Amino acid sequence: MDMLKTAIRNNPEDVDAALRRLGLTAAPLMRAVRAGYISRVSRTANDAPIAAGFYHWNETLRTLRDELVMLGWTRVDEQMFSTILSPDGKTAISVSSGDDATGDPRGFPKTKRDKGPRTADAIDANIGQLDLFDTAPEMVLATAPEDEVECLTYVLLFHANATELRAELSLPVSMDEHDHIDTWRERIILRSQPIDPEGDTLPKPDFGPEIDIDVKRRA
């Protein structure tokens, strides 16, 4: 199989069909991406220097899990590798920040940070499944014997620039010499989400309804 041949789903109908194949819609993925960004920009100068990146990643993951658990998905944490697993056990999703090519169908995105051995193991499993059945990801899930199918691990890749949030759900098949994921067998490009150029990205605080308490002075 030619692992360098990437299937790019960018047309809205193709995106919807690809996500539906995985038991997903775009909405929970996009809400997770936005929640992560809001958590990032909520940090202050008094947070630790690494806080913004950590909170961005963690809130994206947490929100994605919150959303998908309600659809029957299962939280999985193995050796510091955090994913959410589909009800049929055939699809897992991890989350990661990506470089500025993320969400660009013409680009060649990489993860922003290097990845560890559990990610490498997941990529090896992806390659093994694609090689074993010598077919595209959608055909592995649709036609391979159920008792022979191992989990395919996708990555929800996210990136923020000055004007928009970009994201994609993509299937990794290799890492470079610096342990960044750099090659994808399938890229499902999500619609970009605008960021207010004035920086007003946070939701306005909700303090509840105004309560007027009538305080009577004691005689």
Side-chain angles (χ1 to χ4, degrees):
M1 172 178 292
D2 182 5
M3 285 296 173
L4 297 179
K5 184 178 180 182
T6 303
I8 299 176
R9 323 294 187 193
N10 186 43
N11 179 282
E13 290 78 13
D14 293 340
V15 169
D16 289 344
L19 292 175
R20 188 164 53 248
R21 183 187 82 234
L22 301 174
L24 294 167
T25 63
L29 305 179
M30 294 176 67
R31 284 194 290 266
V33 169
R34 190 156 196 90
Y37 175 76
I38 290 173
S39 184
R40 180 187 187 95
V41 299
S42 299
R43 300 309 103 206
T44 74
N46 291 325
D47 280 295
I50 64 169
F54 172 78
Y55 277 91
H56 194 167
W57 170 83
N58 184 70
E59 189 65 21
T60 304
L61 174 69
R62 187 187 71 83
T63 303
L64 181 66
R65 286 173 158 183
D66 285 347
E67 294 271 354
L68 297 187
V69 161
M70 295 188 295
L71 302 177
W73 292 58
T74 304
R75 180 183 70 247
V76 178
D77 294 291
E78 293 183 352
Q79 301 176 7
M80 302 299 290
F81 184 59
S82 298
T83 62
I84 184 83
L85 183 68
S86 64
D88 62 9
K90 294 182 179 180
T91 306
I93 302 173
S94 67
V95 304
S96 176
S97 58
D99 64 14
D100 58 7
T102 299
D104 180 355
R106 300 163 297 181
F108 301 92
K110 295 184 179 184
T111 52
K112 194 171 183 180
R113 305 292 181 191
D114 58 307
K115 300 301 175 183
R118 286 295 293 115
T119 300
D121 289 345
I123 290 174
D124 286 344
N126 285 349
I127 295 171
Q129 288 291 284
L130 295 169
D131 276 343
L132 177 62
F133 299 107
D134 193 24
T135 189
E138 61 269 27
M139 298 306 295
V140 171
L141 296 175
T143 65
E146 186 168 348
D147 59 351
E148 296 182 20
V149 174
E150 295 183 10
C151 181
L152 290 176
T153 300
Y154 283 73
V155 178
L156 178 59
L157 202 62
F158 56 84
H159 177 80
N161 60 26
T163 60
E164 63 183 0
L165 303 176
R166 297 202 303 267
E168 58 186 79
L169 185 66
S170 297
L171 184 66
V173 290
S174 81
M175 295 196 297
D176 64 18
E177 67 273 17
H178 303 295
D179 294 331
H180 295 81
I181 301 175
D182 67 341
T183 308
W184 315 85
R185 183 61 181 82
E186 180 179 37
R187 298 177 60 206
I188 305 172
I189 311 295
L190 302 177
R191 177 172 53 84
S192 64
Q193 303 182 67
I195 296 174
D196 189 325
E198 299 300 320
D200 184 18
T201 57
L202 298 177
K204 294 181 179 179
D206 181 5
F207 299 111
E210 293 187 8
I211 301 175
D212 186 7
I213 302 176
D214 184 14
V215 178
K216 294 183 178 180
R217 189 183 299 254
R218 290 184 178 179

